[in-house]
């Protein structure tokens, strides 16, 4: 089975900082990767899909990218805001195999 | 407006069974795959099972194969998951989510508020 490993597991940054969260797949998943944001006590929300496509209504300070190898992905917040405090998850949704695994999550806090 | 409303959660003894339902509204239900995701207390998200829009194809995480059965009634706009042989590590909030398209190989666009299942004697 393909594993997704996020790094770091947690981070603390200041308002206005550029923040990057990584997600590494154990095998090529092409661009079948999504990012979700889950604020404390809330339901997850879709941020990015197809590795780099911003979901409707998501602020433009969020962006995603992926490598040509189809194994390395990043979520970037260009200028961290207090409202961005949350845990962020990546998820693969390619078919091979049909296991739509989440990464373990990255907890983001404000310094 | 898309709405997903889960029901059926509760306290169940180990070895027991439960059926969760997810009533969907605000979209053409048969044209979207649906997914169950769970989250144990204080833990991360875990994909559990998905079903295509037609219901023809179902997918499960290995740890629930043979114990969980996902299904849908497209005439009632309702998603189900039958959970049998419950174990303590099945304790979690179970979220119903709508995929972005009819196939399960799509991101999860909308989420319900979740239904808590607690397995304890």
């Amino acid at each position: 089975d393909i594993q997704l490993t996020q790094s770091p597991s947690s981070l603390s940054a200041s308002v206005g900082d550029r923040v990057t969260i990584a997600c590494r797949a154990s095998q090529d998943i092409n661009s079948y990767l999504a990012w979700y944001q889950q604020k404390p006590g809330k339901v997850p929300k879709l941020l990015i899909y197809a590795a780099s496509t911003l979901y409707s209504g998501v602020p433009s300070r969020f962006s995603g990218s992926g490598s040509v190898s189809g194994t390395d992905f990043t979520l970037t917040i260009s200028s961290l805001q207090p409202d961005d405090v949350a845990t962020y998850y990546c998820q693969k949704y390619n078919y091979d195999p049909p296991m739509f695994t989440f990464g373990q999550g990255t907890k983001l806090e404000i310094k | 407006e898309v709405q997903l409303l889960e029901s059926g959660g509760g306290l169940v003894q180990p070895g027991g069974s439960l059926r969760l339902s997810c009533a969907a509204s605000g979209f053409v239900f048969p044209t979207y795959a649906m997914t169950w995701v769970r989250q144990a207390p204080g833990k991360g998200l875990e994909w559990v099972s998905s079903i295509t829009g037609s219901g023809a194809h179902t997918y499960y995480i290995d740890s629930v194969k043979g114990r969980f059965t996902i299904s849908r009634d497209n005439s009632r706009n309702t998603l189900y998951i039958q959970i049998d042989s419950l174990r303590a590590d099945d304790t979690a909030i179970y979220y119903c989510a709508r995929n972005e398209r009819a196939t399960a190989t799509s991101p999860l666009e909308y989420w319900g508020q979740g239904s808590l299942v607690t397995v304890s004697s």
Side-chain angles (χ1 to χ4, degrees):
Chain A
D1 295 345
I2 298 176
Q3 306 301 317
L4 295 182
T5 303
Q6 289 184 232
S7 61
S9 296
S10 64
L11 78 153
S12 181
S14 300
V15 173
D17 280 356
R18 183 181 183 87
V19 170
T20 298
I21 298 169
C23 177
R24 171 165 286 182
S26 57
Q27 296 177 41
D28 182 1
I29 58 170
N30 203 324
S31 295
Y32 289 88
L33 188 103
W35 290 95
Y36 301 88
Q37 176 194 62
Q38 186 178 32
K39 296 181 180 180
K42 301 296 185 182
V43 172
K45 292 184 177 180
L46 177 63
L47 294 176
I48 303 276
Y49 63 98
S52 61
T53 302
L54 196 67
Y55 185 62
S56 175
V58 175
S60 60
R61 63 179 180 275
F62 291 91
S63 64
S65 65
S67 66
V68 173
S69 65
T71 59
D72 294 292
F73 303 89
T74 58
L75 172 69
T76 299
I77 307 173
S78 61
S79 178
L80 186 65
Q81 300 301 306
D83 189 49
D84 300 335
V85 169
T87 300
Y88 293 84
Y89 297 90
C90 58
Q91 184 205 20
K92 78 164 200 70
Y93 54 91
N94 66 318
Y95 183 78
D96 185 20
M99 298 279 285
F100 308 112
T101 312
F102 286 91
Q104 82 275 19
T106 296
K107 187 175 183 179
L108 174 59
E109 296 176 329
I110 300 287
K111 274 184 189 173
Chain B
E1 179 191 7
V2 172
Q3 292 194 348
L4 301 170
L5 185 60
E6 300 96 335
S7 60
L11 176 62
V12 187
Q13 291 190 337
S17 297
L18 204 61
R19 188 177 81 158
L20 301 180
S21 301
C22 173
S25 61
F27 62 99
V28 181
F29 188 65
T31 62
Y32 293 92
M34 298 293 294
T35 292
W36 289 99
V37 174
R38 68 184 179 183
Q39 187 167 35
K43 302 296 184 183
L45 301 175
E46 181 176 53
W47 170 78
V48 173
S49 182
S50 296
I51 186 168
T52 56
S54 67
H57 301 283
T58 58
Y59 310 95
Y60 300 92
I61 192 173
D62 285 347
S63 61
V64 309
K65 283 180 182 176
R67 299 190 302 122
F68 288 23
T69 304
I70 192 172
S71 62
R72 64 192 295 158
D73 185 338
N74 284 348
S75 68
R76 295 177 182 271
N77 290 353
T78 304
L79 174 72
Y80 304 100
I81 191 159
Q82 176 70 36
I83 307 175
D84 298 323
S85 303
L86 275 157
R87 312 185 307 213
D89 63 356
D90 294 320
T91 294
I93 296 172
Y94 285 73
Y95 294 104
C96 157
R98 194 198 86 173
N99 287 70
E100 187 250 352
R101 59 189 65 184
T103 61
T105 53
S106 56
L108 304 176
E109 238 186 328
Y110 293 96
W111 297 64
Q113 291 301 306
S115 183
L116 178 62
V117 173
T118 303
V119 183
S120 175
S121 55

